[in-house]
Amino acid sequence: MIGSYLLYARAAIRGGNWNNEANAGVFALNLNNAPSNSNNNIGLRVAIPKFCQIWMGQKPFKRAHNDFGDMILASGAKNINRLMGAGRETERPHRPQNEMKTYRNLWAKIATFEALHAAYLKARRGKRFAMDTLRFSANLEQEIGALANELQSGIYHTGEYRRFSVFEPKKREIAALPFRDRVVHHALVSTIEPIFECRFSRDSYACRVGKGTHAGADRLTVFLRHAGRMWQNVYVLKADIAKYFPSIDHTVLKAILRRKIACPETLALIDNIINSWNGPTGKGLPIGNLTSQLFANIYLNELDQFVKQVFRWRFYLRYVDDFILIGGDKVELNNAKRVIQEFLRTHLLLELNKKTSIFPAKLGVDFLGYRIWKTHRLLRKRSVTAMRRKLSTFQKLYANGEIDPGKIKASVMSWLGHAKHANTYTLQKRLLGNFILRRE
């Protein structure tokens, strides 16, 4: 009897093996695993029966039921949930041990000659031959020394903004600071960004290392596939903040930053930068500042944590001020919309855009430059139309000798880099197959 108990405890391997055909996989129970069997089992969890554990003097394993009615170890269930995506809340993001910790003594990482020189090297990337950069670089040591002295003596003030507009896809006002101010911004962001980065949600994809539009589109595809397995009808809440950057409240933003930063000199610099834009009104951040990207993420991280940790919504992701919720019930999503709208209004002084809508996922989700379904992904129609017009313009300009072929190649390769992340093989052949450049 003892021998049979021990044999059963050893032989019941959760995972099966490839030789068992239909019984292979993490949900299979392989009970014919003799001691001499050297096959490759899938998974490493031993399915020890409860009576065997009691006989061996152990407490029974905590158990959980999987979708097939079988009993699996709770540790295994956690692993499967991590792979499949969690229930209402996915895998919890990493949290530092002390959430109440504040950071002091940051000034030496910002205002020293060495820190500013490292920031200068970052700020000049891709802009080495811009006139502003060349002037600063011509007297590099004196410029960095002057910046360090201004910061350390507390007399530094943000320079004047140069404002201009872009029209892709709609009109936006862009603000650009002198190069010396951009050096200061790089020094500040390099110091404080790691403090907040580890607290950001996994599903925030804007202006973060290892994230971006393509990673966000991939994540949305995964969400749609998981939701399709859970619900027969899948719905999407697509929302964005109305006039987000102009609506960011300075007082609220400063209060959020002060939860983690307690260095007086660093806070004074942050306040200087924030107040340099619409200081009297106390509203808005300039589109174009490096600090604005970080501050915008910190501001809406409050929404991320509310949705994921308090409201505990599983399928949620955000890119800047655009965010997506996926569910199996329209009523639930409408309730979620009301809850989120109330949170934004009361805690962050923001409003949802009137274009916020709920629609079936089968219509495709227009997000991050793509139209995304669970089975495939296409480019936005306006992206295709814009590329057709651009190629036609390139042909006319090249025929008149008004454009360099290198610029054409750079533009086409940029579009192809975006298009390759969608199902666009036929589209690329159709657009580029007849694209011929001729001189008149």
Side-chain angles (χ1 to χ4, degrees):
M1 178 67 77
I2 292 175
S4 63
Y5 280 132
L6 290 176
L7 178 63
Y8 191 31
R10 181 190 65 232
I13 303 296
R14 173 70 59 192
N17 60 71
W18 295 114
N19 299 326
N20 285 349
E21 298 178 353
N23 292 325
V26 295
F27 298 111
L29 186 63
N30 186 11
L31 298 177
N32 62 351
N33 208 26
S36 60
N37 190 355
S38 60
N39 57 31
N40 295 320
N41 289 296
I42 307 165
L44 299 173
R45 300 183 300 282
V46 181
I48 303 178
K50 181 176 178 180
F51 61 82
C52 184
Q53 297 169 38
I54 295 173
W55 176 84
M56 295 170 67
Q58 301 174 354
K59 293 182 180 179
F61 285 98
K62 182 180 178 182
R63 296 171 181 267
H65 288 273
N66 66 10
D67 292 338
F68 302 94
D70 196 6
M71 300 181 75
I72 59 177
L73 301 183
S75 60
K78 289 177 183 176
N79 291 333
I80 292 170
N81 282 340
R82 187 173 70 249
L83 293 172
M84 299 290 289
R88 183 84 177 203
E89 162 68 76
T90 58
E91 127 185 45
R92 288 182 179 273
H94 167 71
R95 294 287 180 211
Q97 291 183 353
N98 188 359
E99 275 293 323
M100 300 303 294
K101 179 180 178 181
T102 56
Y103 291 81
R104 301 175 182 272
N105 304 318
L106 300 174
W107 196 235
K109 300 178 181 179
I110 299 171
T112 62
F113 186 95
E114 293 77 10
L116 290 170
H117 184 263
Y120 156 76
L121 295 176
K122 292 180 179 179
R124 75 174 188 177
R125 286 177 188 167
K127 302 179 179 68
R128 293 186 66 173
F129 302 106
M131 189 56 66
D132 212 11
T133 308
L134 289 172
R135 286 197 206 97
F136 190 92
S137 302
N139 300 293
L140 182 60
E141 188 172 347
Q142 292 86 344
E143 291 282 1
I144 293 180
L147 265 182
N149 289 334
E150 289 178 27
L151 289 168
Q152 291 169 8
S153 60
I155 63 173
Y156 169 80
H157 288 287
T158 302
E160 292 293 324
Y161 286 95
R162 179 173 61 89
R163 306 187 186 207
F164 57 95
S165 297
V166 297
F167 297 87
E168 291 186 7
K170 59 183 179 181
K171 182 179 179 180
R172 300 180 190 275
E173 184 182 28
I174 308 298
L177 280 170
F179 184 78
R180 70 192 310 267
D181 295 292
R182 299 202 295 270
V183 171
V184 174
H185 287 201
H186 273 277
L188 175 64
V189 169
S190 296
T191 302
I192 68 172
E193 186 175 37
I195 296 172
F196 295 95
E197 175 63 32
C198 62
R199 291 167 176 82
F200 287 159
S201 167
R202 170 189 178 183
D203 293 315
S204 169
Y205 285 89
C207 306
R208 297 175 63 192
V209 176
K211 301 292 185 176
T213 55
H214 298 142
D218 291 342
R219 182 68 166 164
L220 178 56
T221 302
V222 171
F223 279 175
L224 290 171
R225 288 173 180 172
H226 290 343
R229 297 187 190 108
M230 294 174 61
W231 302 298
Q232 184 175 359
N233 297 313
V234 178
Y235 296 94
V236 176
L237 166 61
K238 182 186 174 187
D240 69 279
I241 310 298
K243 299 180 180 178
Y244 176 50
F245 277 89
S247 301
I248 293 175
D249 187 85
H250 291 182
T251 304
V252 175
L253 175 60
K254 291 174 185 177
I256 294 171
L257 291 166
R258 278 163 168 76
R259 293 181 201 163
K260 304 309 302 177
I261 299 174
C263 175
E265 296 87 354
T266 304
L267 288 173
L269 176 59
I270 290 173
D271 291 348
N272 186 329
I273 294 170
I274 293 174
N275 294 336
S276 69
W277 186 262
N278 295 342
T281 65
K283 286 277 189 179
L285 291 178
I287 299 175
N289 277 2
L290 179 68
T291 51
S292 296
Q293 299 174 11
L294 176 61
F295 292 159
N297 262 344
I298 293 171
Y299 202 79
L300 273 189
N301 183 56
E302 301 294 305
L303 172 65
D304 298 340
Q305 300 306 323
F306 172 75
V307 174
K308 299 292 272 187
Q309 303 296 330
V310 180
F311 200 44
R312 299 186 68 78
W313 196 275
R314 174 182 179 183
F315 299 124
Y316 164 87
L317 62 87
R318 177 178 65 83
Y319 189 90
V320 192
D321 63 327
D322 298 314
F323 59 93
I324 295 283
L325 278 80
I326 301 173
D329 189 340
K330 248 187 170 181
V331 175
E332 251 189 56
L333 283 171
N334 266 308
N335 291 335
K337 176 185 172 183
R338 282 194 291 270
V339 170
I340 289 171
Q341 195 163 25
E342 184 63 24
F343 175 85
L344 290 171
R345 188 175 291 142
T346 57
H347 289 79
L348 300 177
L349 307 182
L350 299 173
E351 294 287 340
L352 287 180
N353 196 309
K354 293 180 180 179
K355 295 185 295 183
T356 297
S357 60
I358 299 172
F359 55 89
K362 65 183 179 181
L363 299 180
V365 184
D366 190 343
F367 194 59
L368 300 178
Y370 301 99
R371 291 178 292 149
I372 303 172
W373 289 262
K374 66 178 181 179
T375 53
H376 64 287
R377 187 185 308 171
L378 301 176
L379 292 183
R380 279 177 173 162
K381 292 181 179 179
R382 71 183 181 209
S383 174
V384 178
T385 302
M387 191 58 188
R388 280 201 180 98
R389 291 174 180 166
K390 190 175 288 188
L391 292 177
S392 177
T393 302
F394 285 157
Q395 287 176 319
K396 294 176 184 176
L397 292 175
Y398 185 81
N400 297 328
E402 298 175 6
I403 191 170
D404 183 69
K407 291 185 178 180
I408 298 177
K409 180 180 179 181
S411 180
V412 172
M413 294 305 294
S414 175
W415 183 82
L416 287 175
H418 176 64
K420 73 178 183 180
H421 291 271
N423 303 89
T424 57
Y425 177 77
T426 303
L427 173 65
Q428 292 179 40
K429 286 180 63 178
R430 192 167 65 245
L431 280 181
L432 301 176
N434 298 320
F435 179 60
I436 300 172
L437 297 173
R438 294 189 181 93
R439 293 279 191 193
E440 288 185 354

